[in-house]
Amino acid sequence: MGKVIAVANQKGGVGKTTTSINLGASLAVLEYSVLIVDFDPQGNASTGLGVNIKDANMLGIYECLAGKCSPKEAIHHCEEIDRLDILPANIDLVGLELELASDENRNMYLKNVIDSLRNEYDFIIIDCTPSLGILTTNALAAADSVLLTIQCEYFALEGLTQLLSTIKLVQDIFNPSLSIEGFLITMYDARLRLSNQVVEEVRKHFETMIFETIIPRNVKLAEAPSFGKPVITYDANSVGADKYMELAKEILRRNNLPETK
């Protein structure tokens, strides 16, 4: 049965999608089967893996949740990497919150889809939307753990208290087994005093929950999505590719799994 990890932070531009794509790709290269679930209406994880989200005939997570197709019908295989699949999203997902607003089970829809796929993959990674609404609650209710991305910026810790409160609420009401996989520091620049101060502050607050791996600012990481590729196939020798491979191995160690399956 696969492990489900939600990659979350209600702030935008903090490396959630970059992490979802490249962590998933790295785990797949290490011979684990991986499904990335794009649960953001912007569909960036989908385009970052080469899916044309403007295709009117595209099936994705919205169609699954709306009962228009089965999850397996909507899954796209990543041609660049064996064992890596994506369940895409597009702007249609915006309407889901309105459609589910009056539904008593509105926070459990994604869980039903994810549970039907657990036995097909070693890891399922959910790329969350930058909000704390119904979509994020659905992701947390469906996940086994949540990976929190924290960028090296002045307001890095702002909003984390609210996010942690939301996680606690989901644990109390919908998903008591939800755990925190860890805090991942992103967009790190060793030359900047601010970056080092943020790392010190985060370590002071969260200690052992911080991943040893720190994701730096990297041109190749920024360029790869525009080519519809994870960084490991765009430039396997880049610092960004190395760091996400380190993160994948660290997560495997934390879960008592071998570095290659």
Side-chain angles (χ1 to χ4, degrees), residues 74-195:
I75 288 171
H76 294 239
H77 177 64
C78 178
E79 295 181 2
E80 295 286 331
I81 298 177
D82 288 338
R83 304 181 188 84
L84 180 62
D85 292 344
I86 181 160
L87 187 48
N90 59 23
I91 197 66
D92 291 344
L93 199 55
V94 167
L96 188 68
E97 292 197 67
L98 292 175
E99 293 173 26
L100 296 181
S102 59
D103 192 320
E104 289 184 0
N105 297 313
R106 60 185 174 273
N107 295 299
M108 306 303 289
Y109 270 65
L110 183 61
K111 177 177 171 55
N112 295 331
V113 171
I114 295 295
D115 284 350
S116 73
L117 296 168
R118 274 183 181 267
N119 292 329
E120 307 292 324
Y121 296 94
D122 296 312
F123 287 94
I124 298 176
I125 297 173
I126 307 171
D127 183 31
C128 295
T129 186
S131 75
L132 291 179
I134 290 175
L135 295 183
T136 296
T137 306
N138 263 265
L140 295 177
D144 298 314
S145 66
V146 54
L147 187 157
L148 301 156
T149 55
I150 303 175
Q151 86 283 29
C152 284
E153 301 291 349
Y154 183 73
F155 293 112
L157 299 179
E158 186 182 70
L160 266 185
T161 300
Q162 188 179 2
L163 178 56
L164 291 171
S165 295
T166 299
I167 291 170
K168 181 65 166 61
L169 186 65
V170 170
Q171 288 171 326
D172 290 343
I173 301 175
F174 307 112
N175 188 359
S177 62
L178 179 66
S179 64
I180 294 178
E181 190 74 27
F183 291 81
L184 177 67
I185 295 171
T186 64
M187 303 179 188
Y188 175 73
D189 188 338
R191 299 168 300 177
L192 299 179
R193 181 180 171 187
L194 176 59
S195 284

Side-chain angles (χ1 to χ4, degrees), residues 233-254:
T233 57
Y234 178 66
D235 187 344
N237 296 315
S238 66
V239 172
D242 286 343
K243 289 298 181 182
Y244 273 107
M245 185 59 73
E246 285 181 20
L247 176 65
K249 291 178 179 178
E250 187 173 351
I251 285 177
L252 291 172
R253 288 195 302 273
R254 287 187 176 207

